[in-house]
Amino acid sequence: MTKPVFAVVGHPNKGKSSIVATLARQDAVKISSLSGTTTQAQAFTLNVDGQTLYSLVDTPGFQRPRQVLSWLEQHCQNASQRPDAIRQFIDAHQATTEDSRFHDETELLRPITEGAGIIYVVDGSVPYTPEYEAEMTILQWSGQPRMALINPIGGEQFVAQWQQALSQFFSVVRVFDPMTADDQKQVAILSAFAELSERWRSDLERAIQVYSAHLQRLRSRSAKVIIESMQQLLQLEVSLPVPEQFAETALRQQLQQRYQQTMRDLEANMQRQLQELYALNHMRLNAQTLDFPDMFDVEHWYLFGLDRQKLVALSASAGAAAGAVVDVGLGGSSLMMGALAGGIVTGAASLLATWKPEKLKVKGVPLAGKTLTMGPVKDANFSFVLLGRAIDFFDLVARRTHADRRVVTMAASDFKARMASLNQVEQVKLTRALLKARKGLSEQDSDQLQQWLLQLMAAGQQ
Amino acid sequence: MDQKLTPNEGYRYFRTQGLSSGLLTWLAFRRFMARPDWAQHMVGAEKDDMTGLLSHWQQQEPQAANVTLLLSSVPLLGAASGVAAMAAALNYSGVAPINIWVMLWLFALGPLLLTCLAVVSQFFRSAAVGLLRQTLLHWFSKRLQLGTQQSASHGLLMRYIGYLLQWSALLYLIAALMTFLAFATFQDFNFGWSSTLIQDASTMQQWMNLLSAPWSWWHQTASEQLVSSTRYFHGQASSAPAMAGLWWQTLMMATLVYGLLPRLMLMLWLRYRVSSALRRDIENSSELTRLMATLHQQQSQSPLEAEPDNATLVVLPLNAAQQWLIGWHAQPNSETLKYNLGENTWSADEQWLQQFQADKPVYFVAALQQTPTAELADCIALVRARMNVAGLILMPGDYPPERAEAQLESWQFFASQHNFGLFIEEARHD
């Protein structure tokens, strides 16, 4: 049995290609403000882990609907002949070149005559006018299941008017903005598709389940990408051979630049992987703005990480938790001194580190023939900065629709508010895991960190 | 076709290459997918089949054969150690007997203890074991050129190293057994036992009964006579009873039951854990999803491409006294218009356009928010067949600026395609 196929049709420049891009999760669909950009009917499939769920056929817009309707009326005597009349129209006007008078109409009607359902797209920000009735009548004549999507391109001023008109021609009418529709709205539209045709109901209901599960998996895989990237960033060491003749200051500066650039490259790599995961390969970024400064712009770390007080408190608790393990191991005979010592040491280390967070330690004294090494960063807050940046980027990618072609401007969210979504114990454990990530995480640690990360991600999407 | 692109198919592809090769290939694939330019190397790959996709990749990224060789060296080292240990233990001078306690500890009881420690270390980390694994992990990561990917593969590699060590230990015992059989076939051995704490043969007999309990239902290997006749004391000359060689059965069974069998079970369990971890890593990692999501992106075919026209429109107010105005889906009841196209059937519009007479310059009028279509072009062509068309005047109306910009682009393109002048009724206030 073939998978569900829907032809997305309508007046030119009403967002048909945008709707196809969003619902098929394809960001290479050509979208342009220029009317008539789509010149051929082309099917785009929604593929999830190798499974085709459905196809959407992007079509050119109606260019001569009244003339087509006139032709059909002349070649049809009663309602039972209408679908055949459309097939005759296509046969009569199928041309091999695009100069054919009715090229666009034959392109958009052909998939419908081949069994596709109809999704008719209109702009909810312009008033309804009778010019659309010829198009809707032609679609009605096809006899295929059909629904209408009102795309509020410039606003929703005339949506109610459109709903009143469209409901006379279409069994299902929905408002859908392909530029801003979140996952829930997209799933709701798939449910509407399922209402259209009994033939495809079970396929589409299954598609909804598969798609929803896929979105969950994307989040888990994104969390894994972030955790792996963070470990790489937190464990990074960069070395430079010390030449025979060298100036110490210049050498240290060179090492620092190389270290920082490698960190930025690793972060960019993580961002690219998240983009690829969400099939947003063509998304363009305006990465460095006042709201999302460079990773090493320490003055703006407060945007992403935690304030000093919170950081020292969490680190101290995390250190105390580590010390408590020592106490358990000694059967309690250390009288909890392990916990106390762990808390004091880690808290003091955090206090010192936050005093001069920008000070990256260079290991070793430069000697000709030796290597100078920089990293890893010891500052506890840096872990939170990296985490905050990563989650902000994930948010951006997860919310973006595939129709949105605007250059994305990064902006930092309130990381402290996200942290508040975890209870105190979880915050301490998260801190401990991030401190441990510098040396490497076990599988269990990674799995647990993944769970917290998913919670932090979800907090931002509420 | 659908079932051939799932992550499960990906797992199958790596797994059919064998556990070690499959794991190394998977790590190499992860390294490949970490590169920013990976997609360029997948041009021309068969997109409908996971096996085809991965085969295409593997053909272009051959793995270094020396890595596989290096990995093989770990178990081979175990085997070599087994041969050496057995050869050393059987270094029989022909005078003093070979102490069966040495044999039992080297090849049965000692390995059993180490197996138990290995099981415990899977659940509790000790510093010594951790250090050994970290050293091997670091060595593997360098050989596999994992670089910054090391941390991502940490868990999987640690499990694999644990499995490899057990495989090495198993080969140690197998090699030891084979060496023993080889030596024992062509040489006689005089086994005996010596102890300070076990005073009499009957106690020794009890120990041997306990030791051989697992196989005693099948075969009694250490009889009373054997035990009592093969005791020897250091520094004292001992005779070699003819049956001294019969200890080989006990030693063989002990090696099999206490040494080899537990080690084999542990190795199989760890192998299963590595296989599960590999499957989990393949299914939970982003690489296969990224591969399919990127390669299944479809490009639009033959889209219209046009350069935006940035020319500023001339402002031309509507003036019914000086202009013959024909509306295109204009607001109804507009008194300035001679006719409003689109309100009637096409035939009616066509008929009017073919018959009207104009005594002023003819302009078409449309709202900016209208979309220009071929039907409008047909109307203009019908008029041009009989008279000059001065142009088309756009009425901006109350339209959001960014949307107005987009609409204007369409109108300007339309005007350039059909070669007529485009005007705007009033200046836009953006």
Side-chain angles (χ1 to χ4, degrees), chain A residues 39 63-64 66 221 228, chain B residues 30 159 289 302 349 374 378:
Chain A
T39 59
Q63 293 287 338
R64 296 180 168 95
R66 292 187 301 159
R221 285 169 183 160
E228 287 175 357
Chain B
R30 291 202 76 183
R159 278 186 200 257
T289 304
S302 312
D349 283 359
D378 292 345

